[in-house]
Amino acid sequence: TQLLEQSPQFLSIQEGENLTVYCNSSSVFSSLQWYRQEPGEGPVLLVTVVTGGEVKKLKRLTFQFGDARKDSSLHITAAQTGDTGLYLCAGARGNKLVFGAGTILRVKS
Amino acid sequence: DAGVTQSPTHLIKTRGQHVTLRCSPISGHKSVSWYQQVLGQGPQFIFQYYEKEERGRGNFPDRFSARQFPNYSSELNVNALLLGDSALYLCASSRDRGISEAFFGQGTRLTVV
């Protein structure tokens, strides 16, 4: 059983559309990180959220950490083809990261 | 500044063989963690090393071992390779023992045939 559930598993959209992906858990995490990973590469850290209710913006990406620190969302405005990739959320649990299975995003031109 | 570097980038081994993967963390980072990522899944935690000591171990068999050197670089060793060990092996570097921010290398793609 996946400790962190990500949804949807796969998303295919047109360039310019908006989208939201979700990361949910029944467990509390001290922090949560979002990564983007391209095929054959390592995950690239996008953001770390620490405080319940925290919202962080990174250009067209908006990240939110749930009040109870159990869930998070990533919203992308006006998606671009360069946003294509695997989006992973990871919760910090002690000295390790617990990852979800990821959302594969494909942005078509 | 150089990021996390891993070597080799790709490797093909035969069942039963042994493999050593290497990782150099970001300069100034003292913690190195290893993760295994099989196709279609998120990375799974294998080990964390901090200040040359093992600080955490995931649910992996004793065939997996690791160590950290005085310069904070690290090696992951896997003995008696199985087909199921085929995966992308990722090294993550963080500044201290906590894992609030981890930066990953490009990974080593291991194929066991």
Side-chain angles (χ1 to χ4, degrees), chain A residues 2 31 33 35 37 40-45 48 86 88 92-102, chain B residues 33 35 37 40-45 48 55-56 88 90 97 99-107 109:
Chain A
Q2 204 71 29
S31 67
Q33 304 180 31
Y35 293 85
Q37 185 178 25
E41 301 290 326
V44 175
L45 179 64
T48 299
L86 174 67
L88 292 161
R93 170 76 41 92
N95 56 1
K96 68 178 183 182
L97 291 175
V98 176
F99 281 85
Chain B
S33 299
Y35 289 79
Q37 186 178 23
Q41 296 183 19
Q44 298 290 317
F45 174 74
Q48 189 208 29
R55 303 291 184 165
L88 182 66
L90 296 164
R97 186 175 176 177
I99 200 71
S100 58
E101 274 200 338
F103 299 88
F104 284 83
Q106 83 280 11
R109 170 67 64 187

Side-chain angles (χ1 to χ4, degrees), chain B residues 33-109:
Chain B
S33 299
W34 288 94
Y35 289 79
Q36 180 196 63
Q37 186 178 23
V38 299
L39 202 60
Q41 296 183 19
Q44 298 290 317
F45 174 74
I46 309 175
F47 287 111
Q48 189 208 29
Y49 275 77
Y50 175 72
E51 289 287 12
K52 302 176 287 293
E53 290 189 14
E54 182 183 306
R55 303 291 184 165
R57 185 186 182 110
N59 189 23
F60 281 81
D62 291 343
R63 299 184 296 107
F64 288 76
S65 64
R67 56 180 175 168
Q68 187 177 33
F69 298 99
N71 67 353
Y72 302 109
S73 68
S74 177
E75 284 183 354
L76 175 69
N77 296 285
V78 187
N79 291 324
L81 285 166
L82 304 174
L83 295 179
D85 294 331
S86 295
L88 182 66
Y89 287 85
L90 296 164
C91 171
S93 163
S94 52
R95 187 170 299 277
D96 50 33
R97 186 175 176 177
I99 200 71
S100 58
E101 274 200 338
F103 299 88
F104 284 83
Q106 83 280 11
T108 294
R109 170 67 64 187

